[in-house]
Amino acid sequence: MAAVWQQVLAVDARYNAYRTPAHPQFRTQYIRRRSQLLRENAKAGYDPQLRRQYLKLRSQLLAQRYGPLSEQSSFRAHSNSIRSSRTTLDRMEDLEEEPRSQGSRGHRRSVSRGSYQLQAQMNRVAQEERAPGSVVPTPLAEASRAMAGDTTLSENYAFAGMYHIFDQHVDQAVPKVQFANDDKHLLACCSLDGTISVCQLVPTPPTVLQTLRGHIGPVSDFAWSLSNDIIVSTSLDGSMRIWNTQDGRCIRQIPDPDSAQMLCCTFQPINNNLTVVGNSKHNIHVVNISTGKKVKGGSSKLTGRVLSLSFDSAGRILWAGDDRGSIFSFLFDMATGKLTKAKRLVVSEGSAITSLSARSWISREARDPSLLVNACINKLLLYRVTDNEGTLQLKRTFQIQQTSHAIGSIFCPLMSFRQGACVVTGSEDMCVYFFDVERATKAIVNKLQGHSAAVLGVSFNCDESLLASSDAKGMVIIWRREQK
């Protein structure tokens, strides 16, 4: 019964090259969206005769619009070729409900103690031959590689299929999308339409659980609390709001201390009662969300509008980026919430710092604390944190397209269980890029195409099985990692 829907998709894919010749990205997104809709219809159990009639009518309409197909009798064969093509449909799943048969590659490679020790010995030999300053494996790296099955980065990050598309914020940019902490199927996204959506991916079909309404201006940023029961959001209406994620209720509205547009926010990772916010008057403030008041000594001024914030994992160093190209580091007093300005780095004069993401280690093979930075210079920047004051030293750059949009990037959450280390970023060329931070050349591990506008936000769920990306036209795509 589902084979008819596959034939419908085959017809669409055959004519897909004729649609919007100047916008190939839109063609890709269209055919993926068709694949998703047809999968949902196949589960609905419509009459097979109606599906066959629909196929016939659609073929006739497409033929009238674009001309007849050259191989009208090969729908089924073409459908099979589409299902096996990564480039055209990104490994679209079979519409049948039958489970996939797993080959030998579908099972994790078992690693015996003997082979583990042998691999460790081989790595120690390789370590002696490494160039100075390169990655040095540790015993924990051997264990984590064994847990991951010793697969390659390309296999670990083979995100090929679309899981779902959310379009409730259509025509309004979604600057940020983020999965909840330690949760596989709960995520939220904020929009310039003034709302925040809390979405659930299982059970299927995915749904919007809550729409948080209350801001009278565009929502610029938000953050989940550690327990996921609270979301804090900032808006260009000059307010911060605290939301109950269970019922969508606004618990408290806190005006900006400077009566300015609020542009970014982040929880203090150890004490979630404290939130740091940045505004358009160049100030950052530490706010106690229980009282709604800023903390004494918890304010500081930057050289420009504060666009991005990030703590280290211990919550002792805070980095803040502004729209004039500077990154400031601050020492955070855990007892009082007081901020002490430490260091300043000018990345590029006049280039906005749109995203900061800190990591205490890149992987168990490379234990250097790092900061991932998006700046409007057509590059993604990876810095090494060299001391306890947050001093930054440039380690790597990756070529992307970013000149004006607020693009975001992330470290992959399970890099300790993978071979190598990977980061993911959006881009103004409507693509999502995966970069291997240790590969000297050809660092692109994967490239996802499907958006029809600049990709602004990216987020992994906790086990890296799903990746969410959002764009400047309000589309949120959930990508599924291909299971080997």
Side-chain angles (χ1 to χ4, degrees), residues 17 45 72 112 130 176 232 238 240 253 267 317 348 366 390 429:
Q72 288 285 349
S112 66
R130 290 175 182 269
K176 183 174 182 178
V232 168
M240 175 175 70
Q253 178 182 2
F267 275 106
I317 302 176
S348 179
D429 64 359

Side-chain angles (χ1 to χ4, degrees), residues 170-390:
V170 66
D171 296 329
Q172 292 286 345
V174 175
K176 183 174 182 178
V177 59
Q178 187 176 37
F179 278 94
N181 296 300
D182 298 322
D183 197 295
K184 296 181 182 180
H185 302 116
L186 185 66
L187 79 155
C189 53
C190 64
S191 172
L192 299 189
D193 64 11
T195 66
I196 303 166
S197 298
V198 180
C199 307
Q200 181 174 281
L201 302 181
V202 292
T204 56
T207 57
V208 178
L209 292 178
Q210 302 287 346
T211 301
L212 311 183
R213 305 180 187 276
H215 284 295
I216 59 175
V219 180
S220 54
D221 196 7
F222 74 93
W224 290 92
S225 66
L226 284 175
S227 57
N228 298 326
D229 57 339
I230 288 177
I231 283 179
V232 168
S233 63
T234 54
S235 170
L236 303 189
D237 64 12
S239 72
M240 175 175 70
R241 286 179 178 261
I242 305 165
W243 308 88
N244 183 320
T245 57
Q246 297 298 318
D247 56 17
R249 178 172 48 93
C250 180
I251 301 173
R252 175 174 283 111
Q253 178 182 2
I254 303 173
D256 181 75
D258 305 315
S259 300
Q261 293 179 331
M262 303 186 82
L263 305 178
C264 54
C265 61
T266 187
F267 275 106
Q268 210 285 340
I270 305 302
N271 181 4
N272 271 193
N273 196 45
L274 299 179
T275 302
V276 182
V277 296
N279 66 25
S280 61
K281 289 188 176 179
H282 309 184
N283 292 323
I284 59 174
H285 299 288
V286 180
V287 178
N288 186 315
I289 63 174
S290 295
T291 64
K293 298 180 180 179
K294 66 177 182 179
V295 174
K296 184 178 180 180
S299 299
S300 189
K301 198 172 190 68
L302 277 63
T303 55
R305 291 156 46 94
V306 186
L307 302 181
S308 50
L309 297 164
S310 182
F311 273 101
D312 69 342
S313 59
R316 298 186 181 278
I317 302 176
L318 171 71
W319 289 274
D322 63 27
D323 66 346
R324 295 188 180 179
S326 293
I327 301 175
F328 290 82
S329 66
F330 298 86
L331 304 182
F332 186 90
D333 190 309
M334 303 292 288
T336 64
K338 181 181 178 181
L339 290 176
T340 303
K341 189 178 291 186
K343 300 291 183 178
R344 177 193 177 191
L345 171 70
V346 179
V347 175
S348 179
E349 195 70 43
S351 299
I353 307 298
T354 62
S355 175
L356 297 173
S357 181
R359 185 85 178 215
S360 57
W361 40 263
I362 292 184
S363 74
R364 288 185 178 180
E365 297 178 3
R367 289 179 172 275
D368 49 339
S370 301
L371 187 70
L372 191 61
V373 178
N374 284 93
C376 294
I377 55 174
N378 289 320
K379 290 179 182 179
L380 175 67
L381 308 171
L382 180 64
Y383 287 91
R384 179 180 287 111
V385 182
T386 60
D387 58 28
N388 292 329
E389 292 189 339

Side-chain angles (χ1 to χ4, degrees), residues 123-139:
N123 282 342
R124 281 193 294 271
V125 174
Q127 176 182 341
E128 296 174 358
E129 301 175 354
R130 290 175 182 269
S134 61
V135 174
V136 178
T138 67

Side-chain angles (χ1 to χ4, degrees), residues 46-180:
Y46 292 112
D47 181 31
Q49 188 60 36
L50 289 176
R51 291 200 291 271
R52 294 188 183 94
Q53 185 179 2
Y54 171 80
L55 171 61
K56 181 179 179 180
L57 291 174
R58 186 161 186 83
S59 300
Q60 292 174 353
L61 290 171
L62 289 172
Q64 291 176 8
R65 176 67 178 84
Y66 300 108
L69 286 170
S70 58
E71 300 176 11
Q72 288 285 349
S73 62
S74 62
F75 288 144
R76 182 177 295 273
H78 191 61
S79 172
N80 291 335
S81 69
I82 288 174
R83 291 205 326 254
S84 63
S85 169
R86 293 189 185 183
T87 56
T88 304
L89 292 181
D90 282 350
R91 284 196 175 274
M92 157 192 155
E93 282 197 326
D94 288 343
L95 297 182
E96 290 88 357
E97 293 299 323
E98 300 174 1
R100 291 183 177 180
S101 59
Q102 288 192 349
S104 60
R105 297 186 67 189
H107 299 280
R108 250 181 208 180
R109 184 183 305 174
S110 61
V111 181
S112 66
R113 180 177 178 85
S115 63
Y116 167 87
Q117 292 174 341
L118 176 61
Q119 183 65 43
Q121 182 179 359
M122 293 172 63
N123 282 342
R124 281 193 294 271
V125 174
Q127 176 182 341
E128 296 174 358
E129 301 175 354
R130 290 175 182 269
S134 61
V135 174
V136 178
T138 67
L140 288 177
E142 315 302 337
S144 62
R145 182 176 296 118
M147 293 176 65
D150 206 23
T151 51
T152 65
L153 267 182
S154 298
E155 290 175 318
N156 286 327
Y157 298 109
F159 282 78
M162 282 190 179
Y163 181 78
H164 193 74
I165 296 177
F166 289 102
D167 56 5
Q168 65 268 20
H169 300 294
V170 66
D171 296 329
Q172 292 286 345
V174 175
K176 183 174 182 178
V177 59
Q178 187 176 37
F179 278 94

